[in-house]
Structure formats: C-alpha cells, structure tokens
Amino acid sequence: MPEAPSDTSARGLLARFYQAMIDKSADDLADLYAPDAVHEFPFAMPGLPPRLNGREEVRASYRAMWGATPAKVEEIRDVTTYDTTDPGVLVSRHVTACTLPDGSAFAVPGLLIMRTRDGLLAHVADYMDTGSTPRA
C-alpha cells in the first residue's frame, strides 16, 4: 500500500525514498534527509564516495550520479521490510530493476538500514550488489 506523501514514519520515508529512486529525483530524495544526515555506501563502487554528509551533499551527489547514468529504474520489487525494537529504525531488502536505452535490463539487489529522527532520515546505510551493475 503506497504511503501518503506527508507520511514521516520510517515506513513512509522508505516508500518516498523508493519513489524518488524510480523518479530519479535528487530533490525529492534529499528532502527526506535531515540537514546533518549521513548516507553511507559500505560497498561503494570505484569513483563514488563511500559517505555523503548532509542533505545538500546527498542532493548534489545523487543529481550527479543519476545524471551520469542512462539507466532507468523501472521498479523496486521483492521488498521485504523489517521493523526493529526502535520505531525509528528499519531494515529493507529490495531489488532495483533497471533498463538501459538499448533495452537491456539488469537488477541490483540491495539492503537499506534507515534511522529516522523527527520525521526525517538521519542515517542511511545503503548496501547494494555493485557487481550486478553494468560498467559504463
């Protein structure tokens, strides 16, 4: 069930996070983050930063990353979300299904660990199978 755009629960933020990925909207994504948030990529690909510090760095980095790739996110599928004992923390497994302009498709399995604070993302650990992404 899609969350309302104003839903600032951890699950609501997750739904909006996934929608921003589908839309390739760096602004929509960054607006989910606290000004001092941290977004980490523990399995970062070469050439990409392992850590983004603050909302504006998230905005600028995603704008650059998404602008540099011709891949289109078709859907986020196979989503399994796990609640924790802390209502502001959740874990979500997913597969990002993408296509390239030539029609070829690929899928990237991933896992997010999100910590929220005051209705915004405070910390995101973004684990993705970087080996499954095509090299440009």
Side-chain angles (χ1 to χ4, degrees):
M1 167 191 259
E3 302 291 338
S6 61
D7 185 350
T8 58
S9 69
R11 283 182 177 260
L13 290 170
L14 176 65
R16 293 165 58 201
F17 185 99
Y18 285 151
Q19 189 60 52
M21 288 176 60
I22 291 167
D23 296 340
K24 283 177 88 170
S25 175
D27 289 327
D28 289 351
L29 184 71
D31 290 347
L32 301 175
Y33 286 78
D36 62 343
V38 172
H39 186 119
E40 295 180 300
F41 299 99
F43 300 147
M45 291 193 298
L48 295 179
R51 178 183 172 115
L52 305 175
N53 295 301
R55 174 188 296 148
E56 295 314 313
E57 194 168 316
V58 168
R59 186 183 318 277
S61 293
Y62 270 91
R63 184 173 287 135
M65 285 187 285
W66 286 341
T69 180
K72 179 181 185 319
V73 175
E74 298 294 340
E75 68 175 326
I76 310 296
R77 65 177 185 231
D78 303 331
V79 176
T80 305
T81 303
Y82 303 91
D83 294 310
T84 68
T85 56
D86 181 337
V89 176
L90 59 78
V91 177
S92 185
R93 291 185 337 172
H94 61 271
V95 175
T96 304
C98 302
T99 57
L100 293 171
D102 67 4
S104 61
F106 63 97
V108 182
L111 180 129
L112 296 170
I113 302 172
M114 297 180 149
R115 176 175 297 282
T116 65
R117 180 181 70 236
D118 300 326
L120 295 168
L121 296 173
H123 184 267
V124 176
D126 189 345
Y127 296 85
M128 66 179 130
D129 179 4
T130 58
S132 62
T133 60
R135 300 284 184 232

